[in-house]
Amino acid sequence: MATRKTTKTTPDDNLASATQAMADLTAMYQKMGMNAMAFMGGDWMERMSDMGTEMLEFYTQRVQADVELYHKLLHCKDLKEMHEIQGEFLQRMINRYSEETGKLIEMGKTAMDGGK
């Protein structure tokens, strides 16, 4: 009766095989020109990260402002006060969005100009 030869693989063999496959894939992409972002460098990536951080901070502030709005609305005494609260909130949000848009435009210009 013929016997089948089996080879056992260990987790280390699997890891080495996966690592080699990733290295081969990365080398293939580089040959194909897929490393186009490399010219942008670490400074550009840092500026893009700063923009992401800025946007997340803005979103956090917006959620806080919404919670404050709902709290005020829950405690208002009449329709006139409700309209005043909503009007103030709307004006504040228009101002905040305008400020934030300007800030992000400037950050984007800086990122595209190479940090100048």
Side-chain angles (χ1 to χ4, degrees), residues 69-87:
L69 170 68
Y70 299 137
H71 179 77
K72 287 178 182 178
L73 289 174
L74 283 171
H75 293 92
C76 70
K77 295 174 182 67
D78 56 32
L79 196 56
K80 181 178 184 246
E81 184 181 2
M82 183 185 77
H83 284 284
E84 288 172 2
I85 290 169
Q86 289 176 325

Side-chain angles (χ1 to χ4, degrees), residues 4 18 21 24-25 28 36 38 44 49 51-52 57 60 65 68 71 74 76 78 89-90 99 105 108:
R4 257 178 40 177
D24 293 344
L25 188 59
M28 182 183 73
W44 183 83
S49 175
M51 286 181 71
E57 288 174 1
T60 301
E68 290 172 12
H71 179 77
L74 283 171
C76 70
D78 56 32
F89 176 80
L90 183 59
E99 291 168 14
I105 288 171

Side-chain angles (χ1 to χ4, degrees), residues 8-115:
K8 289 187 177 185
T9 59
T10 66
D12 288 338
D13 293 336
N14 290 336
L15 179 61
S17 176
T19 302
Q20 186 58 51
M22 288 302 295
D24 293 344
L25 188 59
T26 301
M28 182 183 73
Y29 281 155
Q30 287 175 340
K31 286 180 187 174
M32 294 169 54
M34 296 297 209
N35 61 346
M37 286 185 64
F39 77 91
M40 294 176 185
D43 290 340
W44 183 83
M45 293 299 287
E46 186 173 340
R47 288 188 295 276
M48 295 307 291
S49 175
D50 291 345
M51 286 181 71
T53 300
E54 178 64 33
M55 289 171 33
L56 288 174
E57 288 174 1
F58 177 73
Y59 298 148
T60 301
Q61 292 168 358
R62 273 305 328 273
V63 170
Q64 289 171 339
D66 287 349
V67 170
E68 290 172 12
L69 170 68
Y70 299 137
H71 179 77
K72 287 178 182 178
L73 289 174
L74 283 171
H75 293 92
C76 70
K77 295 174 182 67
D78 56 32
L79 196 56
K80 181 178 184 246
E81 184 181 2
M82 183 185 77
H83 284 284
E84 288 172 2
I85 290 169
Q86 289 176 325
E88 290 169 5
F89 176 80
L90 183 59
Q91 187 58 55
R92 242 185 359 262
M93 289 304 105
I94 290 170
N95 294 343
R96 280 296 294 128
Y97 271 96
S98 295
E99 291 168 14
E100 192 64 23
T101 300
K103 189 183 287 188
L104 288 172
I105 288 171
E106 287 304 314
M107 291 176 86
K109 282 182 187 177
T110 301
M112 292 300 136
D113 291 343

